[in-house]
Amino acid sequence: MLESLYLNLGQHDALSEEEKALLARAMSLERYVAAGEDIVTEGTRPIYSTLIVDGLAARYKVLEDGGRQFTSLQVAGDFVDLHAFLLKTMDHGIVALSPCHVLGAEHSKLKTITEQAPHLTRLLWLDTLVDGAIHREWIVAMGRRSKISHLAHLICELFVRLQVVKKTQEMSFHLPLSQAELADVLGLSVVHMNRVIGTLRRMNVINWTGHMITVLDWERLVVIAEFDPTYLSMTREPR
């Protein structure tokens, strides 16, 4: 069940069998979360950090008027709240956007890892740093990119991240989001969201049928998105 995590961390540096065993021993709670339910709720103090084994989730904040903004999407192999190990109280929620299979790593066991396995600790630290880098890219996209470029960037990011954990099929991937949820990602109305999707279709860079996205012209999509994957830190090197 931890193969996606091993692939995710292993894209940055090699994981030893001992390090894989340490991660496996840290996992003690298995849950299945229905779409629309919180995996972690804002204001709570988790005693374990949650790993997505399968499914799609999102970090989110809710405004006083009920408006909701997603601040990142989390895929298989992602710890959704590894930072809660040190921050303690969650300042945002994490909602399942599809049925999610998750595992929990006890904070007491994560503490043991930090004390006994410095290389693995650095890889887990890097995982949180990549989360921060993704947030920065999302801020830039929200504030400065055109909505067409913003959506193209999101598609590029998701394709690359899902490809790492072997959740793509050639140039296609499954995105189980409603258009309302996708509008919450881009900060748009549903009507405007439909127009943006339609524009990328007419540009013949993607095919979007139901919840399946197929990239038809990767090079052109990258140009439209101004996508540079450096922020995902995907170069495998000693850490």
Side-chain angles (χ1 to χ4, degrees):
M1 288 191 293
L2 295 183
E3 185 61 24
S4 292
L5 175 61
Y6 299 153
L7 289 169
N8 189 23
L9 296 179
Q11 71 174 311
H12 307 301
D13 193 7
L15 276 174
S16 69
E17 291 305 312
E18 181 180 357
E19 288 170 331
K20 291 179 181 179
L22 280 171
L23 287 168
R25 287 197 294 271
M27 302 296 171
S28 60
L29 180 69
E30 182 177 9
R31 291 190 294 152
Y32 292 87
V33 184
E37 291 185 6
D38 272 358
I39 296 174
V40 186
T41 301
E42 182 176 357
T44 58
R45 291 175 60 87
I47 60 172
Y48 53 84
S49 288
T50 301
L51 170 75
I52 298 183
V53 175
D54 193 33
L56 182 73
R59 304 185 195 277
Y60 73 94
K61 295 284 288 187
V62 176
L63 303 178
E64 289 187 5
D65 65 3
R68 180 175 66 172
Q69 178 66 54
F70 292 155
T71 61
S72 72
L73 295 179
Q74 308 302 131
V75 302
D78 287 347
F79 273 109
V80 300
D81 60 346
L82 191 56
H83 53 284
F85 169 44
L86 294 177
L87 293 178
K88 306 303 183 185
T89 302
M90 289 293 292
D91 63 356
H92 62 281
I94 297 148
V95 63
L97 298 178
S98 71
C100 285
H101 179 193
V102 303
L103 296 174
E106 292 182 49
H107 286 171
S108 61
K109 293 181 179 178
L110 290 176
K111 184 173 185 291
T112 298
I113 287 176
T114 65
E115 293 168 344
Q116 298 180 356
H119 177 254
L120 180 55
T121 297
R122 291 193 295 273
L123 288 180
L124 292 173
W125 180 15
L126 178 57
D127 193 59
T128 66
L129 296 177
V130 171
D131 275 346
I134 290 172
H135 279 117
R136 288 190 291 275
E137 286 294 324
W138 279 46
I139 290 169
V140 171
M142 186 66 68
R144 292 297 179 182
R145 297 189 192 281
S146 71
K147 294 308 177 183
I148 294 169
S149 177
H150 188 175
L151 179 57
H153 196 278
L154 177 67
I155 292 170
C156 289
E157 177 187 296
L158 285 175
F159 180 81
V160 169
R161 291 171 65 196
L162 289 168
Q163 191 176 48
V164 166
V165 294
K166 300 183 179 179
K167 295 292 184 181
T168 58
Q169 301 86 45
E170 296 182 350
M171 295 303 294
S172 300
F173 66 94
H174 185 242
L175 184 62
L177 291 181
S178 69
Q179 295 210 355
E181 289 168 332
L182 193 58
D184 283 342
V185 172
L186 272 70
L188 297 174
S189 68
V190 174
V191 172
H192 195 178
M193 187 71 255
N194 288 334
R195 291 172 182 161
V196 174
I197 294 172
T199 299
L200 284 180
R201 280 174 170 153
R202 287 191 296 275
M203 295 173 78
N204 206 35
V205 291
I206 63 165
N207 181 35
W208 196 320
T209 304
H211 293 306
M212 185 63 68
I213 298 175
T214 300
V215 178
L216 303 175
D217 189 334
W218 174 256
E219 289 77 14
R220 191 178 179 203
L221 186 67
V222 166
V223 170
I224 294 168
E226 299 181 15
F227 179 70
D228 178 355
T230 301
Y231 70 101
L232 297 174
S233 192
M234 296 177 65
T235 303
R236 199 176 198 210
E237 56 186 294
R239 306 284 179 175

